[in-house]
Amino acid sequence: QLQLEESGGGLVQPGGSLRLSCAASGFPTHSYAIGWFRQAPGKGREGVACISSNVRYTYYSDSVKGRFTTSRDDAKNTVYLQMNQLKPEDTALYYCATPLTPSCGNSVGVADEYGYWGQGTQVTVSS
């Protein structure tokens, strides 16, 4: 059974850092793209980052470029989202997802392109 499970969220002050993890089971992460999305209260699901299979390509939204980095440890079947210089506007429920294709499609993608999702982990940036 294919599953994705996020962890690592929490409360952090502005300017701080968090690392989110996305642990996969039921499929090999090295063969597929993994995307990160977030959803703030009252807003739609926003694509944040994507890493293609074999770490060939990474993509970031303009709002996080230069602050967030996605990486993968295929030996652990886990993908990470390192978030630095966090801002209050980064507050959201963060999800990882996969379209079960190798490619991100040259962008962070849109939620409709991803068929498999984790349950999300809350990130709150506040002083």
Side-chain angles (χ1 to χ4, degrees):
Q1 182 179 0
L2 192 155
Q3 286 188 322
L4 295 166
E5 183 174 2
E6 304 91 341
S7 61
L11 173 64
V12 63
Q13 292 187 341
S17 298
L18 283 174
R19 189 178 78 158
L20 305 185
S21 299
C22 173
S25 59
F27 73 102
T29 56
H30 66 82
S31 295
Y32 300 106
I34 302 291
W36 289 94
F37 290 78
R38 64 187 182 185
Q39 188 165 19
K43 296 189 176 180
R45 203 163 285 191
E46 171 194 11
V48 171
C50 185
I51 184 166
S52 68
S53 67
N54 299 320
V55 204
R56 286 181 177 273
Y57 302 103
T58 55
Y59 303 90
Y60 300 93
S61 66
D62 288 343
S63 60
V64 307
K65 198 172 295 181
R67 301 187 297 123
F68 290 12
T69 303
T70 187
S71 61
R72 60 199 310 157
D73 184 340
D74 291 328
K76 296 182 178 179
N77 230 32
T78 299
V79 176
Y80 303 99
L81 183 68
Q82 178 66 43
M83 306 186 297
N84 298 327
Q85 301 173 48
L86 283 162
K87 305 175 181 179
E89 52 263 44
D90 294 318
T91 295
L93 189 60
Y94 282 72
Y95 300 89
C96 62
T98 181
L100 281 188
T101 62
S103 171
C104 295
N106 298 322
S107 73
V108 298
V110 295
D112 288 348
E113 297 172 346
Y114 289 73
Y116 299 90
W117 294 79
Q119 294 300 305
T121 186
Q122 178 67 38
V123 172
T124 303
V125 185
S126 175
S127 55

